Amino acid sequence: MAWASSFNAFFKNFKRESKIIPEDTITLIEAYVEKNKLQNAISVIENALKNIESAPLNIAVTGETGTGKSTFINALRGVGQEEEDAAPTGVVETTMRRTAYPHAKLPNVTIWDLPGIGSTNFPPQSYLTQMKFNEYDFFIIVSSTRFKENDAQLAKAIEMMGMNFYFVRTKIDNDLGNEQKSKPKTFNKEKVLMKIRDDCSEHLQEALSSEPPVFLVSNFNMSDYDFPKLETKLLEDLPAHKRHIFSLSLQSLTEATINCKRDSLKQKVFLEAIRAGTLATIPLGGIIMDEVENLDETFNLYRSYFGLDDASLENYAKNFNMSVNDFKVHLRFPHLFAEDNDESLENKLSKYIKRISSVLGGPVATAIYYKRAYYLQNLFIDAAANDAIALLNNPGLFEKEMETYISMPLDYWE
Ligand code: GDP
């Protein structure tokens, strides 16, 4: 099987911090492949996929009332401040308990709103116990002014528990605006940012005795300041099997985020193709039809990961005073399956399988189907990612003909 010899080469395409399976798992699979123990290799891949698919992500966000914690949580979740299920902003916190907020698109991702340690009067250890510290993947400590001594003490306690924390300083847009107003002649953005960062760091270092990770953000512009850096750092620090879901959860729109989603989805689809390749040797009609029915849905999901779902496009179009249809003309993805537009992709693929099946018989047809589905998924990931990047770089104009990069040839795992 060609996939075996290509496995190594495929994963070399991705940076360490964007790999969705751990390095030692990749090494193990390669070792099995070398010894020609393909069945063992595949079962390791199946397990890795199970881990990725079932991985929950729980993010704890703590900070005092008024720091912008709720706005930050809504930004992470991809929920507008005015939407019904938004974390309430601009209200004084009264609860001493944590509140769970689900991600708008990913049911496995939960963001937990923890009351600020200062408002609970708990010492750090009891605070962490009360807040069920061991249920989170990491902590984010939010402040809009100087971090307080008890924020630093909390970080220390989190570290002692062997967990990761990150300091987020919000409302940077306000600081810059004020500074510019008060010192219009000498205002220097980078200098102001550096001063705020140094001030936070120095203050925290006194309590922490190591350099703490501080990120300056504006909750109203996630693609600016340190928000992208925060995302990259979190991605790096997470265990590999959680990177896939985290990268899909990212809401900021930068080329780095889009490429990160593209990388992650490509790895997932590659692993699934290997898994499906083994199934293809067994004639399992039921499973195949189920998969086909899900394809349309899969493609719609890809669109939403890249901010190309109908609702997002409507928003974009509105901003440019265009109709969604006028807008779509400039994007690549709506034309991917355009030969006969009135037929759904699902129908097309079912027909395709039936036709091939009648000529070649079940198992071979299945293999061909999966190959085609794999090819289409890659094509679609690239089209969606390229569309998203084009929108980002050139929101009004789509003059440049976009290329579609198909990194994997059709016969990849024959
Ligand atoms: P919480 O009490 O910590 O949950 O804070 P909220 O999220 O309710 O925010 C308090 C106020 O600060 C609200 O009026 C927000 O609109 C505003 N706010 C939050 N984050 C930012 C930010 O990054 N920049 C600016 N300029 N205002 C912010």
Side-chain angles (χ1 to χ4, degrees):
M1 275 189 228
W3 73 261
S5 55
S6 324
F7 185 87
N8 198 354
F10 179 79
F11 275 94
K12 280 216 173 81
N13 289 325
F14 303 96
K15 283 190 273 192
R16 193 196 66 81
E17 64 271 18
S18 61
K19 284 188 184 144
I20 65 170
I21 52 177
E23 290 288 356
D24 50 359
T25 308
I26 296 178
T27 314
L28 181 65
I29 295 166
E30 281 166 12
Y32 278 135
V33 167
E34 226 162 76
K35 290 185 203 134
N36 216 17
K37 291 185 172 169
L38 292 190
Q39 209 45 52
N40 295 45
I42 286 164
S43 83
V44 177
I45 289 171
E46 277 172 354
N47 267 333
L49 268 172
K50 253 187 233 151
N51 279 339
I52 293 165
E53 281 155 4
S54 61
L57 194 70
N58 287 285
I59 303 173
V61 184
T62 173
E64 306 303 328
T65 299
T67 55
K69 183 178 56 169
S70 312
T71 314
F72 179 77
I73 289 173
N74 291 332
L76 286 184
R77 294 167 62 212
V79 171
Q81 315 300 337
E82 291 163 325
E83 283 174 42
E84 219 168 83
D85 59 345
T89 56
V91 292
V92 174
E93 194 158 63
T94 49
T95 170
M96 291 291 119
R97 271 183 272 156
R98 60 178 189 165
T99 312
Y101 290 103
H103 190 274
K105 289 172 185 163
L106 300 158
N108 274 6
V109 178
T110 310
I111 298 150
W112 294 88
D113 182 343
L114 273 46
I117 183 166
S119 62
T120 63
N121 289 324
F122 288 128
Q125 297 289 348
S126 359
Y127 174 86
L128 286 177
T129 312
Q130 291 283 334
M131 295 302 146
K132 306 194 179 355
F133 70 93
N134 51 0
E135 292 181 9
Y136 310 114
D137 291 285
F138 52 83
F139 287 80
I140 291 179
I141 305 173
V142 178
S143 171
S144 60
T145 51
R146 266 187 159 208
F147 288 96
K148 305 261 164 32
E149 171 69 18
N150 49 19
D151 288 329
Q153 293 307 328
L154 176 61
K156 219 172 177 176
I158 295 170
E159 198 170 39
M160 269 171 57
M161 303 292 190
M163 307 185 80
N164 287 336
F165 61 86
Y166 307 85
F167 287 103
V168 165
R169 163 68 157 80
T170 60
K171 306 192 190 179
I172 285 303
D173 51 328
N174 264 352
D175 294 83
L176 287 170
N178 291 340
E179 196 73 16
Q180 189 165 24
K181 262 182 232 148
S182 63
K183 298 171 192 156
K185 280 191 199 140
T186 55
F187 175 75
N188 177 320
K189 182 179 163 187
E190 291 313 316
K191 270 196 186 145
V192 178
L193 291 177
M194 206 196 306
K195 188 165 172 292
I196 300 173
R197 195 177 286 114
D198 287 351
D199 183 55
C200 288
S201 282
E202 274 166 30
H203 194 65
L204 288 167
Q205 263 178 56
E206 284 167 26
L208 283 171
S209 68
S210 61
E211 193 158 338
V214 178
F215 300 87
L216 313 183
V217 309
S218 160
N219 289 326
F220 300 144
N221 188 354
M222 302 177 74
S223 311
D224 206 351
Y225 312 109
D226 290 344
F227 221 118
K229 235 195 265 170
L230 172 66
E231 292 172 336
T232 311
K233 178 79 175 112
L234 293 172
L235 201 63
E236 242 178 72
D237 291 354
L238 275 173
H241 71 286
K242 297 222 180 194
R243 285 185 191 140
H244 181 65
I245 186 142
F246 182 68
S247 72
L248 295 185
S249 82
L250 297 180
Q251 296 296 317
S252 68
L253 266 182
T254 63
E255 217 166 308
T257 323
I258 294 165
N259 284 326
C260 167
K261 291 183 186 192
R262 183 205 307 248
D263 282 0
S264 194
L265 282 167
K266 286 208 159 176
Q267 293 174 68
K268 177 98 183 319
V269 164
F270 178 74
L271 294 170
E272 282 169 348
I274 295 173
R275 176 170 68 183
T278 54
L279 286 177
T281 56
I282 318 160
L284 290 172
I287 288 180
I288 300 153
M289 293 318 287
D290 281 354
E291 294 270 344
V292 177
E293 274 159 31
N294 287 337
L295 252 180
D296 261 355
E297 216 174 279
T298 307
F299 289 152
N300 282 334
L301 262 181
Y302 290 171
R303 281 174 57 191
S304 85
Y305 295 150
F306 288 102
L308 299 169
D309 48 296
D310 286 339
S312 305
L313 288 181
E314 239 160 67
N315 272 339
Y316 274 124
K318 231 189 266 162
N319 286 341
F320 292 103
N321 272 334
M322 289 165 89
S323 79
V324 179
N325 281 341
D326 285 345
F327 201 69
K328 274 189 180 170
V329 170
H330 300 290
L331 294 172
R332 180 92 180 81
F333 81 82
H335 312 295
L336 276 183
F337 313 104
E339 302 126 78
D340 40 304
N341 247 339
D342 38 350
E343 193 175 6
S344 75
L345 177 64
E346 179 189 319
N347 277 345
K348 268 191 210 171
L349 280 165
S350 325
K351 271 194 199 157
Y352 183 80
I353 292 180
K354 279 188 194 131
R355 187 156 54 88
I356 302 273
S357 292
S358 65
V359 182
L360 297 172
V364 181
T366 318
I368 290 175
Y369 159 69
Y370 273 113
K371 199 167 67 177
R372 187 169 162 84
Y374 174 68
Y375 168 77
L376 284 176
Q377 286 188 78
N378 268 287
L379 183 71
F380 201 85
I381 292 168
D382 278 321
N386 289 345
D387 276 353
I389 289 175
L391 261 184
L392 185 71
N393 293 338
N394 210 354
L397 302 157
F398 294 91
E399 281 163 6
K400 221 174 70 186
E401 186 56 35
M402 273 173 282
E403 272 176 74
T404 304
Y405 304 97
I406 304 158
S407 63
M408 308 284 291
L410 250 179
D411 58 358
Y412 205 74
W413 47 280
E414 254 175 347

